[in-house]
Amino acid sequence: MKHLSKNENTSELSKLKTNSRAELENENKPGSRAKMLRNLIFVFTLGISLISCKNVKTKSYCEFDFFENSSGIKFPENVEILDCEDDLEGLIWLHLKFDRESALEFVTKNEMHKYSNKIKNELSKLYGSEDDQLIESVSTYINENVEPITKNQDTYLKTVQTEHQFVIYIINKDSGYFWGQIGYPDWSGD
């Protein structure tokens, strides 16, 4: 092992500091390898994050608790979330997919009524049956990419009204498609 004199040791230390300083300065220059590598890692990580998310909607994002608490009706655990949105102006909706067995159980357990297009009075002739009006209300606000609401013998509806919310649930027990909407007060008034 070679021992360096004090002058040689100081000279070596000075070279190391100079080289380190130069490397740090070069690292921040446009086109430096270190900066390009850092940017590449950032872009790669961001890309993976975006790809893995795929705009996946969760029970929390779709405010399942709000739907369940407002209606007093619990959703099955295995329900698939297709889409949801809260316009923050007094309306929130969600679109789900139930398996066939869960859809049948949901209809029965929650005493939903079968879709009817029967007109109860003369005024209703202008707007359609009560069920047609409920379906129209939900259809008006959901996104275009959402499965359209069917009107047939497999379609069931339920409404729940509380002091501050009006809940509409529609499910097709054959396809398992579910549409839900809550109207709530826009306390901000905008």
Side-chain angles (χ1 to χ4, degrees):
M1 179 172 184
K2 182 180 175 185
H3 291 280
L4 300 174
S5 69
K6 189 175 182 177
N7 285 344
E8 289 175 323
N9 198 11
T10 305
S11 174
E12 287 294 318
L13 191 57
S14 178
K15 283 181 188 176
L16 281 174
K17 286 182 181 176
T18 303
N19 287 341
S20 294
R21 214 175 293 123
E23 286 176 14
L24 286 173
E25 288 172 5
N26 286 336
E27 186 177 302
N28 292 321
K29 287 184 181 176
S32 75
R33 286 182 63 170
K35 189 169 186 174
M36 287 184 358
L37 183 59
R38 198 172 45 236
N39 289 344
L40 183 62
I41 290 170
F42 173 76
V43 169
F44 180 74
T45 304
L46 180 65
I48 293 296
S49 297
L50 291 175
I51 289 169
S52 66
C53 288
K54 293 182 185 175
N55 198 20
V56 173
K57 308 238 169 131
T58 63
K59 287 184 177 185
S60 173
Y61 179 85
C62 291
E63 302 186 52
F64 265 49
D65 289 345
F66 185 52
F67 273 92
E68 291 179 339
N69 292 336
S70 295
S71 67
I73 296 173
K74 299 287 181 205
F75 293 111
E77 286 297 318
N78 62 344
V79 70
E80 178 186 353
I81 300 169
L82 301 176
D83 205 354
C84 63
E85 187 174 315
D86 185 344
D87 71 0
L88 303 176
E89 296 290 332
L91 191 74
I92 181 172
W93 60 265
L94 77 120
H95 184 42
L96 307 173
K97 177 83 163 113
F98 288 59
D99 62 52
R100 188 171 167 74
E101 186 179 313
S102 295
L104 291 169
E105 184 180 319
F106 191 82
V107 166
T108 305
K109 182 179 176 185
N110 297 299
E111 300 175 355
M112 299 180 82
H113 72 270
K114 188 180 276 196
Y115 165 76
S116 171
N117 61 359
K118 291 187 178 158
I119 306 293
K120 292 186 177 178
N121 59 46
E122 289 297 312
L123 183 60
S124 294
K125 286 183 180 179
L126 295 172
Y127 302 106
S129 70
E130 287 179 23
D131 289 348
D132 285 326
Q133 291 175 48
L134 292 171
I135 290 171
E136 181 63 28
S137 174
V138 174
S139 297
T140 299
Y141 296 103
I142 58 177
N143 290 340
E144 347 177 298
N145 60 337
V146 169
E147 188 71 26
I149 300 172
T150 54
K151 298 179 185 180
N152 60 36
Q153 75 280 359
D154 294 321
T155 304
Y156 287 77
L157 297 91
K158 174 113 180 157
T159 58
V160 178
Q161 187 165 355
T162 66
E163 185 179 353
H164 296 294
Q165 288 98 18
F166 185 72
V167 182
I168 304 170
Y169 285 165
I170 304 167
I171 190 169
N172 184 290
K173 70 177 187 176
D174 184 50
S175 68
Y177 285 117
F178 172 93
W179 304 265
Q181 175 180 296
I182 299 178
Y184 60 91
D186 177 16
W187 300 113
S188 67
D190 55 351

